[in-house]
Amino acid sequence: MDAITASRSTALLTDRYELTMLQAALRSGAAHRRSVFEVFTRRLPNGRRYGVLAGTGRVLDAVEAFRFTTPQLDWLSDQRVVDEPTLRFLADYRFRGDIHGYPEGEVYFPGSPLLTVEGSFAEAVILETLILSILNHDSAIAAAASRMTAAAGERPCIEMGARRAHEGAAVAAARAAYIAGFGATSDLEAGFTYSIPTTGTAAHAFTLLHDSERDAFTAQIDSMGRGTTLLVDTYDLAEAVRTAVEVAGPGLGAVRIDSGDLTLLAHRVRRQLDDLGATGTRIIVTSDLDEYAIAALAAAPVDGYGVGTSLVTGSGHPTCAMVYKLVARAAGPEGDLVPVAKRSAGGKTSVGGRKWAARRPDADGVAEAEVVGLGPVPAELEPYLLHVPLVTGGKVVGREPLEAARERHLRARAGLPLSATQLSKGEPVIVTEQPPTAATAGPQGRTTLSPTRVTP
């Protein structure tokens, strides 16, 4: 289990109205109706061509840790959040339903049914806030990271955003960035918790501590060896590069530039290093990089990028606008599932029913449509179905190594049209289609589809 969620209950990482809805549903008798909730987003952030699902593994850990402790129940009672019958229900709460959805690292589009949670209304509704808080955050970071690693090409990216985020969010961000192709993180907790490679050497404070730049470089080389990375922009860049090679020799591992016109300075430093015989010394650049800055450096002699603020804030889009909606519920205690959907103005409608999703390729194997449907799956789409089981009967069955999600993302991104990685604004790179059986909102927000039999 995730070390963060294993250390404490996740049950109060929720909104009050989740529990007040539960109380009212218990009182009305509807709480135990079989229900299907779906996580999806109606749109991608403006200009983005695809989304990236991240956080699924953390959701599984968080659902396992969703247990109400005695102190939590006492507090809920003292605050009169819920009544005694509801407290008794919460004391015995365990999620015993099913969850399936897109596997972590997969790409997605508007309307993609990313996660389907099925169980009683009571056990599923109170997971809403927890699931959305994880998926909205992690997927936003992964989407930004994917754009950055695509722009970087074969050059490695290092996650360096811990000082620009909440301490817990920083760890989650490092995990999401790793899924989307970043090669390492500066955050030690992320390395410890998720086995992500860590990296880091020295900041400007280390140079300023010493009486001279030469003294600082000598101390770092003596401690870390000649393969280390020296920060060379504290004072005079050219003089620092010369001193660095004099101290470390031509076998110096790398130099880091953290300010100024990075394109211009990278060319100057590359020429200087080569002239000094340090032809193998790499150049790492940092300094408020985002995907656009990385793309602009494509022709510069740069060997790697360190990214912080823009990454951990989703590069301007810190959430994915994912929602958690009831899409089907039993007509009675033992009845069939009836599709239900919100019907409202302002583009906030939804499509009812338990859905499947498939990514249809063209003749060359490149994705051309995200097909989201209800009912039977057309035979020709069965090989391209996207959902996998994650929780069955309350037991987690979809946990996997982080490397699997990382490899999946690179495959999924490579299977999209080439325009997916363009940074210019545009529409989603493939369309989301609904077969003729797709639901349309009917009276009172219900759908016109025939009920589907509940799976035991």
Side-chain angles (χ1 to χ4, degrees):
M1 181 183 291
D2 179 333
I4 296 174
T5 56
S7 65
R8 62 188 180 95
S9 165
T10 59
L12 291 185
L13 297 176
T14 190
D15 289 306
R16 177 168 174 149
Y17 83 162
E18 311 290 8
L19 300 191
T20 54
M21 280 193 291
L22 169 64
Q23 174 178 304
L26 287 170
R27 182 167 297 186
S28 74
H32 301 294
R33 284 187 176 183
R34 190 75 173 173
S35 300
V36 180
F37 287 85
E38 179 185 303
V39 175
F40 65 95
T41 185
R42 297 182 177 94
R43 64 191 65 85
L44 298 178
N46 186 36
R48 296 284 174 90
R49 307 297 182 91
Y50 62 96
V52 180
L53 180 64
T56 308
R58 295 208 308 122
V59 165
L60 299 181
D61 293 331
V63 169
E64 276 192 336
F66 201 94
R67 307 281 191 274
F68 287 87
T69 65
T70 298
Q72 289 173 335
L73 293 168
D74 290 343
W75 180 83
L76 291 172
S77 177
D78 292 342
Q79 297 297 312
R80 298 184 179 180
V81 175
V82 291
D83 59 16
E84 284 301 319
T86 306
L87 288 171
R88 289 194 295 272
F89 176 88
L90 296 177
D92 295 329
Y93 177 86
R94 300 290 186 274
F95 180 74
R96 296 181 175 88
D98 301 329
I99 301 176
H100 64 274
Y102 284 37
E104 191 162 23
E106 185 58 83
V107 299
Y108 68 86
F109 301 91
S112 295
L114 297 175
L115 201 72
T116 301
V117 180
E118 185 166 353
S120 70
F121 178 85
E123 63 185 337
V125 70
I126 60 177
L127 297 178
E128 174 185 7
T129 300
L130 180 64
I131 288 174
L132 288 181
S133 67
I134 294 172
L135 294 186
N136 268 312
H137 174 269
D138 290 21
S139 298
I141 306 305
S146 180
R147 285 160 61 87
M148 293 171 186
T149 55
E154 297 299 317
R155 297 172 178 176
C157 292
I158 303 166
E159 187 280 315
M160 302 171 62
R163 290 167 294 171
R164 300 293 186 267
H166 179 279
E167 64 273 17
V171 178
R175 180 184 183 278
Y178 187 69
I179 288 172
F182 271 64
T185 179
S186 65
D187 191 288
L188 292 179
E189 182 63 39
F192 172 76
T193 302
Y194 297 116
S195 299
I196 300 171
T198 62
T199 188
T201 52
H204 293 101
F206 184 78
T207 300
L208 296 169
L209 169 69
H210 290 80
D211 294 335
S212 69
E213 205 163 38
R214 180 179 295 273
D215 289 347
F217 290 170
T218 299
Q220 185 173 330
I221 294 295
D222 288 347
S223 174
M224 304 177 193
R226 299 181 188 277
T228 191
T229 299
L230 296 177
L231 181 58
V232 291
D233 71 334
T234 305
Y235 303 120
D236 179 271
L237 184 63
E239 180 61 29
V241 171
R242 183 162 43 253
T243 301
V245 176
E246 288 176 0
V247 171
L252 173 63
V255 295
R256 177 162 74 97
I257 308 171
D258 188 51
S259 58
D261 184 334
L262 297 179
T263 299
L264 174 64
L265 296 179
H267 281 285
R268 288 179 177 175
V269 169
R270 183 73 271 158
R271 285 197 300 269
Q272 186 180 9
L273 288 170
D274 291 346
D275 290 344
L276 293 171
T279 56
T281 298
R282 297 171 295 115
I283 298 175
I284 308 299
V285 295
T286 50
S287 186
D288 293 327
L289 298 179
D290 60 12
E291 61 266 47
Y292 301 101
I294 292 171
L297 288 161
V302 170
D303 299 287
Y305 307 94
V307 191
T309 303
S310 289
L311 177 63
V312 298
T313 57
S315 194
H317 296 287
T319 184
C320 301
M322 291 178 185
V323 294
Y324 185 95
K325 297 298 181 183
L326 181 68
V327 295
R329 52 88 171 164
E334 303 295 332
D336 294 334
L337 283 177
V338 177
V340 293
K342 178 180 179 179
R343 184 181 62 182
S344 66
K348 296 185 73 172
T349 59
S350 56
V351 177
R354 186 203 287 127
K355 302 173 187 69
W356 51 263
R359 187 163 303 139
R360 188 180 67 230
D362 63 16
D364 296 318
V366 178
E368 66 175 4
E370 195 91 338
V371 185
V372 178
L374 300 164
V377 180
E380 66 273 15
L381 292 178
E382 287 184 356
Y384 309 111
L385 289 173
L386 293 163
H387 281 180
V388 298
L390 298 169
V391 177
T392 301
K395 180 180 180 181
V396 173
V397 297
R399 190 173 281 116
E400 62 181 3
L402 196 59
E403 290 293 339
R406 176 181 172 86
E407 293 168 4
R408 179 180 297 112
H409 174 65
L410 296 179
R411 289 196 307 270
R413 189 176 68 186
L416 297 176
L418 290 177
S419 58
T421 55
Q422 291 178 353
L423 297 181
S424 57
K425 291 184 178 180
E427 297 299 315
V429 71
I430 63 175
V431 298
T432 303
E433 295 182 355
Q434 294 178 343
T437 55
T440 55
Q444 300 180 358
R446 299 188 187 182
T447 67
T448 57
L449 290 178
S450 300
T452 54
R453 179 64 59 183
V454 173
T455 302

